[in-house]
Amino acid sequence: MTTEQPPEHPPAPETAAPTCYRHPGRETYVRCTRCDRPICPDCMREAAVGHQCVECVAAGRKSVRQPRTALGARAARRSAPVVTYTLIGLCVLAYLAEIASDRVVDDFAMIGLVRDRAGLPVPGIGVAEGEWYRLFTSMFLHQPPTGGPFGITHILFNMWALWAVGPQLEQVLGRWRFLALYLLSGLGGSVLLYLVAPGTAAVGASGAIFGLFGAFFVIGRKLGIPSGPILFVVGLNLVITFGAGSAISWQAHIGGLVVGLVLAAVFAYAPAKSRQAVQIAGVAAMTVLLAALVAVKTVQLV
């Protein structure tokens, strides 16, 4: 009697261990909880449940909505006021250049038109003669140490004011809005001086600083911050402005203040649904208005 042997079964094939999708040479049994791809320890990122791969973590961050301030700027907890510090640095560098050369103030101060003794325009000098850059460069210059009644205190006060209010405004406005506010406020001061007293030479960041003061007031009202302290600062500076006579250009201060108030109102009260578009349109409209005023005045002068 023969005994039947059970049929032999072939051995089961060995299953290859999974490898990391980013590092094929590394075996791993851990998978991304989001895309289910195998990941090695170098590619693991802790998640609420399990681990995720680096690509899924990056995609998840992009889908998270960036928090913003009440005026539309990105809410950054520890963002350095880069624009404020850069503006201060530019003013300090310009001041050092003034000390090194007397021609810096002559070549870059705000002056609309220079006339000779016969009342004729001096060719090539002034905004009306094509030196439009003076409208901007003058806001980075200040009285040299021996160049006027205020001397070095001129730049010291302006830089202290910029350091005091600049970082707060830059944080709530964001960098591009804050920079636009500063430059257009300074330009507004130069334009008003050009319209009212084109033959008067002036230097200083005071127009831009007054614009920041005005913006601080408007934005403070919007956010419910007490406005008494900033009103006191503005009022005191206006008293000094008009009490100093011709030593201080009241046109630059008032022009900067008005532009700062208007731009801050646009930034603060733009409707939420179209906030950025309205804010950009407000900056563009102010730029066009100031440029048009300069053009009209130039035609009258030349």
Side-chain angles (χ1 to χ4, degrees):
M1 183 175 179
T2 59
T3 303
E4 295 182 359
Q5 295 293 332
E8 294 183 0
H9 296 282
E14 295 183 2
T15 304
T19 59
C20 175
Y21 82 99
R22 297 179 71 228
H23 304 94
R26 301 180 185 179
E27 296 183 358
T28 180
Y29 290 92
V30 179
R31 292 181 174 272
C32 173
T33 57
R34 188 170 180 177
C35 67
D36 200 39
R37 291 182 292 186
I39 49 178
C40 69
D42 290 341
C43 301
M44 296 178 189
R45 300 295 184 269
E46 292 187 5
V49 178
H51 296 80
Q52 292 184 6
C53 65
V54 290
E55 292 181 4
C56 288
V57 171
R61 289 175 179 172
K62 291 181 179 179
S63 63
V64 176
R65 189 172 182 179
Q66 181 72 25
R68 294 187 175 273
T69 66
L71 277 70
R74 291 183 179 181
R77 295 181 180 179
R78 297 182 180 180
S79 178
V82 176
V83 177
T84 300
Y85 293 159
T86 301
L87 292 172
I88 293 175
L90 290 175
C91 289
V92 172
L93 289 176
Y95 197 72
L96 294 177
E98 293 177 39
I99 297 175
S101 174
D102 296 336
R103 291 192 57 82
V104 172
V105 174
D106 294 335
D107 293 342
F108 298 101
M110 175 57 206
I111 182 73
L113 185 67
V114 177
R115 297 183 182 274
D116 58 19
R117 294 181 179 180
L120 299 176
V122 178
I125 300 180
V127 175
E129 291 293 314
E131 295 180 335
W132 56 267
Y133 54 84
R134 290 178 179 268
L135 296 164
F136 294 95
T137 56
S138 59
M139 72 178 74
F140 294 97
L141 302 177
H142 292 83
Q143 287 186 359
T146 58
F150 301 102
I152 196 172
T153 59
H154 189 205
I155 187 174
L156 290 179
F157 172 79
N158 281 341
M159 294 304 98
W160 171 83
L162 180 55
W163 176 80
V165 303
Q168 301 175 65
L169 286 173
E170 184 175 347
Q171 182 179 10
V172 71
L173 287 173
R175 291 174 180 173
W176 77 264
R177 296 175 187 82
F178 176 72
L179 181 60
L181 171 69
Y182 185 91
L183 294 179
L184 287 178
S185 295
L187 179 60
S190 297
V191 170
L192 185 57
L193 178 63
Y194 185 51
L195 296 176
V196 177
T200 302
V203 292
S206 301
I209 298 300
F210 265 79
L212 299 186
F213 287 161
F216 199 95
F217 169 75
V218 173
I219 294 171
R221 297 280 294 181
K222 171 67 175 180
L223 301 180
I225 300 174
S227 56
I230 193 63
L231 283 177
F232 173 78
V233 172
V234 173
L236 178 62
N237 279 275
L238 288 177
V239 170
I240 296 174
T241 297
F242 289 100
S246 60
I248 296 179
S249 172
W250 64 266
Q251 298 91 341
H253 293 186
I254 298 301
L257 179 62
V258 171
V259 172
L261 289 170
V262 173
L263 278 182
V266 173
F267 291 155
Y269 295 99
K273 293 183 178 180
S274 56
R275 178 185 289 120
Q276 188 168 10
V278 172
Q279 291 172 343
I280 294 175
V283 171
M286 181 60 70
T287 304
V288 171
L289 174 61
L290 294 176
L293 291 174
V294 171
V296 171
K297 186 64 176 180
T298 301
V299 171
Q300 294 176 355
L301 292 175
V302 180

